[in-house]
Amino acid sequence: MKSALVQSIMTIAFLVLSPVSAMASSSDFQKAYHEGAGARVEFRVVDDAGLSVPGAKVNAFFDMVDRSKGRRIVGMTDTNGVFIAEARTMGVVEIEVSCAGYYCSKDELCLISMGNEHEVRNGRWQPWGMRKNILIRPIRRPTAVQVREGGWRTTRAINEWVGFDVRR
């Protein structure tokens, strides 16, 4: 009786504490994690008002356990603010977006820690063609700053700046 209770507690602890859920035990999932599986992602770049940002540069890195085997795909969003990338990954896609007039934005799509929404079927992460919105904030009222010994000091706006938008 006691050993059955201990076994039950250990099983529950595994399921609760496992970062990738019970699905991690499937051979497709294990193979995808170690060797990669195909992923197709539709990135939609939007501003803080929810409007599409055409012409944004998207830099997507499809990570592998051995990062040197990962694949970087770079391109521009279309007139609808969409960029589609496809490559093999162990379940993590790092995204960086830049566009003139906007602050650079970084994000990550982590398929291996999202639970049952994402699974591997026939060597592909599911859902195939998943969508990911990336928020990019427009530069509105930049305040130029410079680094000085002892901390930050604001300066007058000049042609080049390291930016923060001051919000009130």
Side-chain angles (χ1 to χ4, degrees), residues 1 21 26 38 50 54-56 60 65 75 80 90 117 129 143-144 149:
M1 177 81 162
S21 82
S26 79
V65 172
N80 298 314
M90 52 81 91
E117 304 100 65
T143 300
E149 193 171 327

Side-chain angles (χ1 to χ4, degrees), residues 60-135:
F61 181 69
F62 289 73
D63 203 0
M64 298 291 281
V65 172
D66 176 357
R67 281 186 68 86
S68 68
K69 294 182 180 179
R71 182 162 178 218
R72 185 170 307 281
I73 300 175
V74 179
M76 305 293 279
T77 57
D78 62 17
T79 56
N80 298 314
V82 174
F83 173 73
I84 298 172
E86 183 178 328
R88 294 184 69 75
T89 179
M90 52 81 91
V92 176
V93 182
E94 299 168 1
I95 308 112
E96 185 172 333
V97 178
S98 59
C99 188
Y102 293 85
Y103 289 107
C104 184
S105 182
K106 293 182 180 183
D107 204 345
E108 183 177 83
L109 178 60
C110 189
L111 306 173
I112 58 176
S113 66
M114 295 182 76
N116 292 324
E117 304 100 65
H118 298 285
E119 62 179 305
V120 179
R121 208 175 315 128
N122 298 323
R124 293 179 167 182
W125 287 100
Q126 301 298 317
W128 184 251
M130 63 193 81
R131 294 184 175 138
K132 172 78 174 163
N133 283 348
I134 308 293
L135 176 66

Side-chain angles (χ1 to χ4, degrees), residues 8-86:
S8 296
I9 290 171
M10 289 175 63
T11 301
I12 291 169
F14 173 77
L15 293 175
V16 170
L17 299 175
S18 172
V20 292
S21 82
M23 184 179 58
S25 63
S26 79
S27 61
D28 284 344
F29 187 89
Q30 290 294 328
K31 186 175 180 181
Y33 180 74
H34 293 287
E35 299 173 21
R40 180 181 172 92
V41 184
E42 179 181 303
F43 300 103
R44 182 169 178 255
V45 179
V46 295
D47 64 13
D48 54 2
L51 300 173
S52 298
V53 179
K57 179 181 177 183
V58 179
N59 183 334
F61 181 69
F62 289 73
D63 203 0
M64 298 291 281
V65 172
D66 176 357
R67 281 186 68 86
S68 68
K69 294 182 180 179
R71 182 162 178 218
R72 185 170 307 281
I73 300 175
V74 179
M76 305 293 279
T77 57
D78 62 17
T79 56
N80 298 314
V82 174
F83 173 73
I84 298 172
E86 183 178 328

